[in-house]
């Protein structure tokens, strides 16, 4: 079923270059149904291309840093700092009234900000801005979730204080003096880091789209089972994103 859901044409194609598995043909009727549930093949193909481009760009930035390969991980966000803020961002997103799926989007944007560090920039430079950056990310998602652009520019800087305290307790050097202007500045930095592409395909969005395609392929006969698999996959994905 997974192979069927990932199929992209009426021809037999490899799922992965060099793979011995072959995709099953997808009928035009099913392609129309994929579009009806907002999970068309061309969308998934675009997401896959985006992921490959982002990965290549990240590797290029690391290589251009001029450090030995074994030391390039030092350019990434420290694991403990990342886990701390991701845990708190789940609460922050809930406070902002965002759906649970927003956490995956926030995690992706945080990693994009870390990957966008200029070559040679030390991790502490990003850690010191994490409280304001996390609030900025959640606020940007909150704004983009309003299709009519009616979200007010609220002062959410006070929500950054608990994040700062947690980082301080873990030995990181951050300030508790976080202003609304700091958050707005991080919103601008975030927009530049992702080149204004705030929506990035996440594990959650991939699983949701594949689940929708599976329901189409089984003609909704096993919807409960597909929903269970989807829910369990997203549950596990949270841990993988948190601990990767």
């Amino acid at each position: 079923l997974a192979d069927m859901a990932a199929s992209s044409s009426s021809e037999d194609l490899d799922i992965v270059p060099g793979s011995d598995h072959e995709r099953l043909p997808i009928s035009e009727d099913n392609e129309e149904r994929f579009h009806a549930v907002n999970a068309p093949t061309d969308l998934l193909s675009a997401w896959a291309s985006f992921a490959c481009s982002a990965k290549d760009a990240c590797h290029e930035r690391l290589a251009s840093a001029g450090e030995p390969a074994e030391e390039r991980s030092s350019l990434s966000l420290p694991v403990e700092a990342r886990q701390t803020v991701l845990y708190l961002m789940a609460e922050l997103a809930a406070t902002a009234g965002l759906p649970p799926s927003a956490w995956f989007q926030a995690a992706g944007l945080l990693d994009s900000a870390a990957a966008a560090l200029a070559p040679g920039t030390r991790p502490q430079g990003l850690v010191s801005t994490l409280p304001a950056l996390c609030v900025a990310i959640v606020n940007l998602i909150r704004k983009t979730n309003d299709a009519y652009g009616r979200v007010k520019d609220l002062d959410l800087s006070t929500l950054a204080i608990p994040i700062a305290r947690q980082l301080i307790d873990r030995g990181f050097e951050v300030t508790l003096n976080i202003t609304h202007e700091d958050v707005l500045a991080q919103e601008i930095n975030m927009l530049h880091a992702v080149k204004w592409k705030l929506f990035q395909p996440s594990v959650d969005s991939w699983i949701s789209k594949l689940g929708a395609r599976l329901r189409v392929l089984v003609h909704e006969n096993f919807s409960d089972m597909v929903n269970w698999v989807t829910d369990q996959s997203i549950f596990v994905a949270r841990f993988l994103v948190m601990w990767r």
Side-chain angles (χ1 to χ4, degrees), residues 62-203:
L62 290 176
S64 65
E67 297 193 11
E70 62 273 12
E71 296 181 7
R72 286 176 189 165
S73 60
S74 65
L75 295 175
S76 303
L77 192 63
V79 174
E80 187 175 10
R82 180 179 181 275
Q83 292 174 351
T84 299
V85 297
L86 282 180
Y87 177 81
L88 295 173
M89 284 177 77
E91 299 181 4
L92 189 59
T95 301
L98 296 173
S101 59
W103 180 83
F104 287 94
Q105 185 181 0
L109 291 174
L110 178 66
D111 290 338
S112 294
L117 281 172
T121 302
R122 309 312 305 173
Q124 184 58 38
L126 179 60
V127 172
S128 63
T129 65
L130 274 180
L133 177 61
C134 290
V135 174
I137 289 174
V138 170
N139 203 31
L140 284 172
I141 296 174
R142 185 179 68 91
K143 292 176 181 177
T144 57
N145 275 11
D146 182 6
Y148 300 99
R150 296 176 298 187
V151 174
K152 295 181 180 180
D153 185 19
L154 302 178
D155 183 358
L156 303 178
S157 58
T158 56
L159 300 179
I161 304 302
I163 299 176
R165 292 189 184 279
Q166 288 290 334
L167 290 172
I168 292 173
D169 290 345
R170 286 161 175 74
F172 296 102
E173 297 180 6
V174 298
T175 180
L176 292 174
N177 184 23
I178 303 167
T179 66
H180 182 50
E181 287 69 27
D182 294 330
V183 174
L184 293 179
Q186 290 305 319
E187 287 188 23
I188 298 299
N189 290 339
M190 188 72 253
L191 290 171
H192 287 309
V194 298
K195 299 179 180 178
W196 292 77
K197 297 177 181 178
L198 286 176
F199 178 80
Q200 301 179 8
S202 65
V203 178

Side-chain angles (χ1 to χ4, degrees), residues 1 3-12 23-34 41 213 216-217:
L1 288 176
D3 291 353
M4 292 170 66
S7 298
S8 62
S9 74
S10 60
E11 301 175 356
D12 289 336
R23 293 174 174 171
L24 298 177
I26 295 296
S27 67
E28 292 184 4
D29 288 343
N30 279 338
E31 283 291 358
E32 291 180 0
R33 294 188 180 97
F34 290 157
T41 297
R213 291 167 71 93
V216 167
L217 293 172

